[in-house]
Amino acid sequence: MKSPVWCKWLLLLWFTALPAEAGQWLSDSQAIMGTEVSVELWAENEEAGRSAIDAVMAEMHRVDELMSPWREDSELSRLNREASQRWVRISDELFELIETAQWYARLSGGAFDISFASVGQLYDYRAGERPDNARLKALLPSVDWRAIEMDATHSAVHFTRKALRIDLGGIAKGHAVDRGIELLAG
């Protein structure tokens, strides 16, 4: 049996008349890691909810500062500058994500390859620009996940190709989301 319309309106009025202590949806969106990051959560206490959102956003910024290929001061950028010249020690966090990426590269037979950045860095997708064919042909041999050597004992990485560069892209974003979930789960 269907409830009469007036019952539905009465329930709606009752729910909207609940005191503020019952909670509310809170959200924030920021441009981080080349995309829009949004956090939305239900909080019974507005101050605690805002604090949780701020902690998640701070963590997103921290991961971006560590792993952005576009920030000159990021650990990933330092690795890209130095790893073709010598072994480079990096944080355990970055090392583990590169290990994960290499696992996917092996699993996919190289279809997934973080060294795509060797040429990918030359594209400006928003402006619709691509490198010329000569530059692309010269750098294409640098795209090879097998040219990324890893030393787990020292958390160090070395590139065996001079122009090789890496970008963790979606793996870094996924890691940032996982970290945000961990913070919210407490």
Side-chain angles (χ1 to χ4, degrees), residues 19-180:
E21 303 85 63
Q24 62 186 310
W25 283 103
L26 302 172
S27 64
D28 188 17
S29 293
Q30 297 179 25
I32 308 170
M33 303 177 114
T35 192
E36 183 167 323
V37 173
S38 296
V39 178
E40 184 173 355
L41 54 83
W42 178 263
E44 292 184 12
N45 175 291
E46 183 174 0
E47 186 178 336
R50 295 272 175 224
S51 179
I53 289 173
D54 291 346
V56 170
M57 289 301 190
E59 183 63 8
M60 297 286 169
H61 282 290
R62 186 194 68 78
V63 172
D64 183 42
E65 289 168 8
L66 179 69
M67 299 182 192
S68 171
W70 306 110
R71 297 174 66 109
E72 195 174 306
D73 61 340
S74 75
E75 186 175 17
L76 181 65
S77 290
R78 180 178 62 86
L79 179 66
N80 280 335
R81 279 191 305 273
E82 300 173 9
S84 64
Q85 300 157 24
R86 62 179 180 81
W87 282 93
V88 178
R89 284 185 154 224
I90 57 176
S91 66
D92 290 341
E93 182 178 14
L94 181 56
F95 188 87
E96 288 171 14
L97 286 180
I98 295 171
E99 262 187 335
T100 299
Q102 290 296 83
W103 182 84
Y104 283 113
R106 283 188 300 280
L107 182 68
S108 68
F112 181 88
D113 188 345
I114 59 175
S115 72
F116 82 91
S118 303
V119 294
Q121 67 181 340
L122 303 175
Y123 286 83
D124 185 339
Y125 299 103
R126 289 184 176 128
E129 296 174 4
R130 66 181 294 277
D132 62 56
N133 288 339
R135 184 110 191 255
L136 202 54
K137 187 176 178 180
L139 289 175
L140 205 50
S142 297
V143 178
D144 186 355
W145 63 276
R146 294 166 297 207
I148 302 169
E149 296 181 338
M150 303 188 69
D151 175 357
T153 304
H154 299 100
S155 289
V157 177
H158 178 256
F159 302 155
T160 61
R161 305 227 172 136
K162 189 169 177 68
L164 193 145
R165 300 291 179 270
I166 65 172
D167 184 344
L168 293 168
I171 286 183
K173 289 176 176 132
H175 174 67
V177 169
D178 289 345
R179 292 286 306 127

